[in-house]
Amino acid sequence: MPQTEEVEYPEGRWVAQSVSHGDAVEQATGSLRHHFREREDVLVAMELVVYYRRGDNRVWLQPDVQVVHGVGRGGRSVFKVWEEGKPPDFVLEVASPSTAGKDAQHKVGEYASLGVREYWRLDPVGELMARPLQGYVAGAGGYEPAPAVAIEGRTWLRSEVLGLELRGERRERGTVLVFRDPSTGEEWASAAERERQAIERELQAAERRANAADERARALEERLRALTADSPHTSAEE
């Protein structure tokens, strides 16, 4: 092995395994970046290589999506755990025929030993896993299933790291990750979808304000007419 200061840590390369795989990775990344857009201390990265042994570039991981609190968004070509001071908090792997077995058997152990708090897996085609979405949280004896919550007949899995609830939903081009904010009840699968919903809510609020203003104006007009009708007329002699 070369000396530590001479070791290079190459950037990763990523090729989507399929259209549904690429869509799911990009949609999840975009959604999370939009959700944390006002948090400068939260890194949301897609396919960023994680090196976790200083001086050894032969061991690394490349999560499809990772979220790390407390490290800042700043530009980085790789993620070095010893420089960042911590491992990723949340990792999502989108399954493909060539990676599903490794994600389930090998990577889960690596992420657990690394100290990743939550490990999630999404099946974009609905044929590679028992359920379209699986979430695991670190416990005393290893990873445990993420807590589930039923809302209006649908089951969501709760992520403490994200502060959100997640589920897999079948769309035209494959299964994607859908997010729900338990504090507001908002649901979205992409940044564009959430932005559209926000605009729709603003328009509805504006319409309610306009209707309220119209009703207020009509009430004032009626009151003015009533006062005018009840007031005594001034005679011509006066």
Side-chain angles (χ1 to χ4, degrees):
M1 285 293 295
Q3 296 298 315
T4 299
E5 61 269 18
E6 298 176 355
V7 173
E8 295 183 359
Y9 301 93
E11 298 179 25
R13 294 183 179 180
W14 176 67
V15 177
Q17 303 298 310
S18 65
V19 171
S20 58
H21 180 272
D23 283 351
V25 173
E26 292 176 353
Q27 286 183 331
T29 304
S31 294
L32 287 170
R33 283 177 175 165
H34 184 76
H35 179 67
F36 290 110
R37 65 192 180 281
E38 297 180 1
R39 294 281 303 277
E40 295 291 339
D41 64 331
V42 177
L43 169 68
V44 178
M46 182 180 81
E47 303 299 337
L48 182 68
V49 172
V50 176
Y51 290 100
Y52 53 93
R53 290 184 189 169
R54 186 171 188 173
D56 189 349
N57 61 11
R58 298 170 301 179
V59 289
W60 48 273
L61 292 162
Q62 189 172 357
D64 286 329
V65 184
Q66 62 181 296
V67 178
V68 196
H69 291 276
V71 299
R73 292 183 193 170
R76 48 174 69 73
S77 58
V78 297
F79 188 96
K80 302 173 186 176
V81 172
W82 60 92
E83 289 185 358
E84 305 287 355
K86 63 179 297 185
D89 294 296
F90 171 99
V91 161
L92 170 70
E93 293 287 5
V94 178
S96 68
S98 63
T99 64
K102 184 178 179 181
D103 291 346
Q105 300 172 17
H106 180 61
K107 281 189 177 180
V108 64
E110 288 187 290
Y111 286 132
S113 63
L114 186 57
V116 174
R117 292 168 55 194
E118 293 186 359
Y119 175 49
W120 293 73
R121 299 178 62 219
L122 178 72
D123 181 356
V125 296
E127 301 173 354
L128 304 172
M129 293 162 40
R131 297 182 301 279
L133 178 66
Q134 298 173 355
Y136 301 93
V137 298
Y143 281 128
E144 302 171 352
V149 56
I151 301 173
E152 297 180 352
R154 295 181 297 183
T155 299
W156 297 80
L157 302 180
R158 181 166 295 157
S159 168
E160 295 296 334
V161 168
L162 303 179
L164 299 171
E165 294 161 347
L166 290 65
R167 67 181 178 86
E169 181 178 290
R170 187 71 180 174
R171 296 287 178 93
E172 181 179 354
R173 295 176 62 169
T175 300
V176 299
L177 194 59
V178 180
F179 301 88
R180 180 181 184 275
D181 188 338
S183 65
T184 64
E186 287 182 89
E187 298 180 18
W188 70 94
S190 68
E193 188 173 303
R194 194 178 194 188
E195 192 70 23
R196 186 186 70 249
Q197 292 174 357
I199 292 173
E200 290 174 350
R201 287 195 301 274
E202 289 181 10
L203 287 173
Q204 292 171 358
E207 289 176 358
R208 288 194 295 270
R209 289 193 297 270
N211 291 337
D214 288 343
E215 292 178 2
R216 174 64 174 167
R218 285 194 295 270
L220 290 173
E221 290 175 354
E222 292 175 359
R223 183 179 177 188
L224 180 60
R225 285 196 295 270
L227 290 173
T228 301
D230 292 342
S231 62
H233 295 287
T234 302
S235 65
E237 294 180 354
E238 293 177 345

